[in-house]
Amino acid sequence: MRLYNFLVVFTLFLVATIFACHIWLIAQDRFHGIRFNSGHYKGIHSREVTKGSARISQWRITELRAIDSQRIYMHETTGYGDLTARQCCAVEAAAKNNPNRQVHLFVSRSELDDEQQQKLTNSSNPSPWLTVMQHYPNVEVIFYDEAEYFNDTTLETWYMENQWQDDQQEAHLSDYVRAVSLFRGGGLFLDIDAVLTLKPLNEPRWTNFFVVKSNDRITLQTTSSSKIFHLVHGHHLIDMLIFKLVEASNSPQTEPFEVALDASLARICNFERKGLLDPGHNQCLDVRLKEERDVFLPPLDTLLSRRSFSRLKENGGSINLQSLQQVVRTVVEAQEGVLMTWDAMAALLQQNKTFFESSGFSVSSKMVLSMLIADNCPITAAQEKIFF
């Protein structure tokens, strides 16, 4: 009986201790959080959104809010705290097409001094990309200190020894940061420099998945992609992924994240180079592998044709900007893919292709892409000139 009473008391003590620790961490998070609003610092990190002001915070080591497996997260890692028009468009498109998901934009500003950081968030003359973010209440801009962000992770030594400043690895800093974000909060990663979101990402199929770079089920020679992936917070693959990234950092790798991911899938899930797309080889039953063709839209020049517009005329419609926009939307909606790569769009622009020309109305590559961008990131498109 005494033993039973002791165990009950001991259990209650542990529960109380854990509860107290959580309260303390939350209090620390609120104490250290910084919100920039109307150009002033505020001590408490508020979740309320003030109309016309961007939701901006400073990440701290005690951060608990960022643990959100449903969030979409993106990274800007140059250290200058700025986004290009293309990067801003990528964030806006993700937020616009997924209004029910939080979008965390992590921005490093390690290269800025205090005066420059104050100027960055000056409400009287905000940066162009922050002006865009003000329109989306589901977007939060999270500035972070890289040294603090890597602290207490397996990659801390790699960062503190300045291995990332090596000429061959500096370009891959974002590979390591995205893995740390996955470790700290989980969620759906989108490469801010590579993809444009065209459709919602709310279905269950966008949970615990990776994309493989092959559409060939015969040869099955595949590698994984780092443009988009998702894992819930605490997933057992995350630790192995970071461990393999440490290994990759010891030798030059073209794409360290993809190399580490392939090695992790092989080690944990029993994926082999000749069986990556074969469900029978998957021992991680909660992890999906998707082919690129199920995620990324094919090049637009393979989707749009003269026939698309000829049919419109045959049905009594006229070719104008409004009907063209509807054709483009219909073609995109008919596809399985939800993202388009900027590389695919750039390639189409280089071709300078004319899809249709009749009665003085010409449908060019540039016109189609402009409509696609205006549909998915309208505010960035409208303010594109002020980015330059």
Side-chain angles (χ1 to χ4, degrees):
M1 190 64 181
R2 289 181 178 179
L3 179 60
Y4 173 79
N5 291 335
F6 172 77
L7 290 175
V8 170
V9 172
F10 183 70
T11 301
L12 291 174
F13 173 76
L14 287 179
V15 171
T17 302
I18 294 172
F19 180 75
C21 288
H22 276 77
I23 295 297
W24 180 83
L25 285 173
I26 293 172
Q28 289 296 306
D29 179 38
R30 290 184 174 275
F31 176 77
H32 288 293
I34 298 176
R35 178 178 175 81
F36 301 99
N37 189 5
S38 303
H40 299 287
Y41 293 92
K42 292 189 177 182
I44 296 180
H45 187 71
S46 173
R47 296 293 289 176
E48 296 180 0
V49 179
T50 303
K51 186 176 181 180
S53 64
R55 297 177 60 211
I56 305 175
S57 63
Q58 174 71 41
W59 190 89
R60 296 299 184 192
I61 197 66
T62 56
E63 190 75 60
L64 292 178
R65 268 183 324 96
I67 299 178
D68 180 5
S69 297
Q70 293 303 310
R71 69 174 179 169
I72 295 173
Y73 73 94
M74 310 172 84
H75 276 281
E76 199 292 313
T77 57
T78 63
Y80 292 101
D82 203 6
L83 267 66
T84 64
R86 191 173 80 172
Q87 291 172 327
C88 187
C89 178
V91 179
E92 182 182 359
K96 179 179 181 294
N97 288 306
N98 299 278
N100 297 324
R101 298 186 78 155
Q102 292 296 310
V103 178
H104 287 171
L105 171 60
F106 288 88
V107 180
S108 169
R109 51 182 183 177
S110 57
E111 300 296 328
L112 302 180
D113 57 29
D114 292 340
E115 182 179 350
Q116 291 172 318
Q117 293 187 32
Q118 288 277 10
K119 185 178 180 181
L120 178 67
T121 55
N122 185 357
S123 63
S124 62
N125 186 27
S127 299
W129 63 275
L130 280 174
T131 302
V132 175
M133 297 303 116
Q134 291 173 358
H135 294 78
Y136 294 91
N138 60 325
V139 174
E140 181 166 8
V141 181
I142 304 176
F143 288 108
Y144 69 98
D145 176 79
E146 288 172 357
E148 186 177 35
Y149 206 54
F150 278 91
N151 189 32
D152 291 333
T153 71
T154 309
L155 289 168
E156 179 181 7
T157 301
W158 170 82
Y159 182 85
M160 297 307 293
E161 290 180 353
N162 293 326
Q163 295 184 40
W164 60 276
Q165 292 183 342
D166 180 270
D167 291 339
Q168 291 183 322
Q169 294 198 40
E170 187 170 5
H172 300 308
L173 175 62
S174 61
D175 281 23
Y176 294 87
V177 175
R178 70 188 62 173
V180 172
S181 288
L182 193 62
F183 166 75
R184 292 199 179 279
L188 174 66
F189 173 79
L190 292 177
D191 191 327
I192 195 173
D193 294 307
V195 296
L196 178 67
T197 306
L198 305 178
K199 300 179 186 179
L201 296 161
N202 295 324
E203 300 176 21
R205 65 190 178 117
W206 304 114
T207 301
N208 283 350
F209 75 92
F210 294 100
V211 177
V212 291
K213 294 181 178 179
S214 176
N215 298 329
D216 188 352
R217 286 185 176 275
I218 299 175
T219 61
L220 297 178
Q221 296 299 312
T222 59
T223 56
S224 52
S225 170
S226 60
K227 293 183 177 68
I228 176 175
F229 55 83
H230 176 275
L231 283 176
V232 297
H233 178 251
H235 194 280
H236 56 88
L237 263 174
I238 299 175
D239 289 338
M240 179 57 67
L241 176 60
I242 292 179
F243 176 75
K244 291 298 182 181
L245 268 174
V246 173
E247 288 187 351
S249 69
N250 296 325
S251 58
Q253 302 287 349
T254 305
E255 299 290 346
F257 189 94
E258 294 176 0
V259 170
L261 179 55
D262 288 343
S264 300
L265 292 173
R267 177 71 178 273
I268 299 295
C269 304
N270 196 36
F271 291 143
E272 300 175 0
R273 298 287 289 182
K274 291 187 178 181
L276 203 57
L277 292 175
D278 184 353
H281 289 266
N282 185 0
Q283 292 186 0
C284 293
L285 300 180
D286 62 337
V287 177
R288 300 176 177 88
L289 285 181
K290 301 182 179 298
E291 297 182 57
E292 284 188 311
R293 64 186 176 189
D294 296 330
V295 179
F296 302 109
L297 244 67
L300 283 175
D301 56 344
T302 67
L303 300 178
L304 292 171
S305 65
R306 186 177 297 273
R307 183 180 300 177
S308 304
F309 305 102
S310 298
R311 287 176 178 172
L312 183 63
K313 295 199 70 174
E314 291 171 2
N315 293 329
S318 59
I319 304 297
N320 51 40
L321 290 176
Q322 186 176 2
S323 61
L324 172 60
Q325 187 176 47
Q326 188 57 48
V327 168
V328 173
R329 286 175 177 173
T330 301
V331 167
V332 169
E333 284 300 319
Q335 300 300 310
E336 181 73 13
V338 294
L339 305 175
M340 177 160 281
T341 65
W342 290 108
D343 287 345
M345 289 187 276
L348 185 60
L349 277 180
Q350 289 177 350
Q351 295 174 14
N352 195 26
K353 184 172 181 177
T354 299
F355 292 103
F356 183 83
E357 189 169 8
S358 175
S359 303
F361 190 85
S362 178
V363 180
S364 65
S365 300
K366 185 175 182 180
M367 183 181 293
V368 171
L369 290 176
S370 294
M371 286 190 167
L372 195 64
I373 290 172
D375 240 9
N376 292 281
C377 51
I379 301 174
T380 304
Q383 303 187 56
E384 181 181 5
K385 292 183 179 179
I386 66 176
F387 281 84
F388 303 100

